[in-house]
C-alpha cells in the first residue's frame, strides 16, 4: 500500500503523492507527522480502504519528496498542500493529519484556500506558547537520540528519498517545531475553520505533545481511531 504514485510540482520541489482504497469512495487526504512519511498511515489506511479513496502525501523533504530550497515552516507546508490539492481537484476532500500533518491541516482549513469536508487532527498543537514545556523537549532532543528511537524509519527514508540528508531534515524540522511567528502554529486563526473538526492528543506519548489538549469542533462521521504515537504510529482502529 502507498508503494506507487506520482510527483506533483510545488515550485521549488516535487511532492510524492500515493493513492489507495476505493477509487469511487469519498476522498480522504492523509498528512503524516514530522520526520515520518505516508507509510506511517498504512495501519489506519487498511481500516479505511474499503470505503474511502485515500490520498497520502509525503511532506517536502520526507519520504520520496524533495526538500526544495524554501525554509521548512508550517506556512510553507500549507502552501505546498494547497498546490497539490488544487492541482488534483481535491480542495473539498476530508483531511486526516497526524502531528505536523494535523497542524498543517488546521492551517489549511483556517486559510479557506481549500474547503475540506472535515478535518481530524491527532497529536497536533494549534498554539505553542513560549513557556510551554514541549519547547524544552524540542530544544533538547538530539539527532543521536532520534536515530536511537526511530532508526528503522530513518533507514526507509535513506532508501526512498531522492537526496537523503536526515541531519539536514532533522535540523529543519526542529526549527519548525520551535517557530513562534505567523509562519508557525495556526493560533487564533482556528476560529476561521468552518468544516466539521476534531483535534485530539494522545494523553502521554506523542513526541513532544505530552500535555493533554482537546479542541472539538462540529463532529464528522468517520469511525474514531485512537491517537497515534509519533514516530512509529499505532493508529489501532478497533
Amino acid at each position: 500500500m502507498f508503494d506507487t504514485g506520482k510527483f506533483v510540482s510545488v515550485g521549488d520541489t516535487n511532492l510524492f503523492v500515493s493513492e489507495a482504497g476505493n477509487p469511487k469512495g469519498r476522498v480522504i487526504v492523509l498528512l503524516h507527522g514530522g520526520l515520518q512519511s505516508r507509510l506511517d498511515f498504512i495501519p489506519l489506511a487498511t481500516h479505511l480502504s474499503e470505503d474511502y479513496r485515500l490520498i497520502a502525501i509525503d511532506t517536502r523533504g520526507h519520504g520520496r519528496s524533495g526538500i526544495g530550497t524554501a525554509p521548512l515552516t508550517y506556512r510553507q507546508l500549507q502552501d505546498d498542500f494547497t498546490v497539490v490539492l488544487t492541482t488534483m481537484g481535491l480542495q473539498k476532500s476530508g483531511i486526516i493529519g497526524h502531528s505536523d500533518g494535523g497542524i498543517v491541516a488546521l492551517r489549511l482549513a483556517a486559510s479557506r484556500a481549500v474547503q475540506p469536508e472535515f478535518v481530524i487532527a491527532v497529536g497536533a498543537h494549534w498554539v505553542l506558547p513560549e513557556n510551554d514545556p514541549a519547547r524544552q523537549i524540542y530544544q533538547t532532543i538530539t539527532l543521536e537520540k532520534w536515530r536511537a528511537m526511530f532508526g528503522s524509519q530513518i533507514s526507509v527514508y535513506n532508501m526512498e528519498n531522492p537526496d537523503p540528508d536526515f541531519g539536514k531534515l532533522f535540523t529543519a524540522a526542529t526549527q519548525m517545531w520551535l517557530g513562534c511567528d505567523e509562519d508557525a502554529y495556526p493560533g487564533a486563526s482556528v476560529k476561521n475553520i468552518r468544516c466539521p473538526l476534531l483535534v485530539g492528543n494522545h494523553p502521554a506519548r506523542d513526541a513532544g505533545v505530552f500535555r493533554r489538549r482537546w479542541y472539538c469542533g462540529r463532529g464528522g462521521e468517520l469511525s474514531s481511531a485512537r491517537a497515534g504515537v509519533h514516530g512509529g504510529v499505532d493508529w489501532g482502529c478497533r
Side-chain angles (χ1 to χ4, degrees), residues 15 28-34 36-38 41 55-59 77-78 81-82 84-85 94-106 108 119-122 235:
L15 300 192
I28 300 178
V29 173
L30 305 175
L31 304 180
H32 64 78
Q36 299 181 344
S37 78
R38 72 200 183 282
F41 269 111
I55 308 294
I57 307 172
D58 279 336
T59 300
L77 302 189
Q78 170 195 326
F81 294 142
T82 297
V84 172
L85 297 181
I95 301 176
I96 299 178
H98 173 238
S99 194
D100 284 353
I103 294 167
V104 180
L106 295 176
L108 282 166
V119 167
I120 299 174
V122 180
W235 284 97

Side-chain angles (χ1 to χ4, degrees), residues 36-57:
Q36 299 181 344
S37 78
R38 72 200 183 282
L39 300 177
D40 289 277
F41 269 111
I42 290 176
L44 176 63
T46 58
H47 293 273
L48 300 177
S49 59
E50 183 175 349
D51 298 315
Y52 297 95
R53 178 187 172 198
L54 305 174
I55 308 294
I57 307 172

Side-chain angles (χ1 to χ4, degrees), residues 35-40 61-64 143 146-167 169 231-232:
L35 305 179
Q36 299 181 344
S37 78
R38 72 200 183 282
L39 300 177
D40 289 277
H62 297 65
R64 296 182 186 176
L143 177 59
W146 198 273
R147 288 188 188 279
M149 290 188 292
F150 307 122
S152 60
Q153 286 188 332
I154 296 173
S155 296
V156 173
Y157 159 84
N158 286 330
M159 290 187 293
E160 281 205 321
N161 196 263
D163 187 20
D165 186 340
F166 191 78
L169 178 61

Side-chain angles (χ1 to χ4, degrees), residues 7-26:
F7 289 93
V8 177
S9 173
V10 293
D12 64 328
T13 192
N14 298 314
L15 300 192
F16 184 72
V17 182
S18 187
E19 184 169 341
N22 185 344
K24 297 182 179 180
R26 290 162 55 195

Side-chain angles (χ1 to χ4, degrees), residues 16 48 88 93 177 199 205 234:
F16 184 72
L48 300 177
M88 297 182 66
S93 61
W177 298 341
V199 179
R205 293 170 51 195
D234 175 14

Side-chain angles (χ1 to χ4, degrees), residues 118-131:
F118 61 83
V119 167
I120 299 174
V122 180
H125 297 296
W126 63 93
V127 64
L128 191 65
E130 292 191 18
N131 63 349

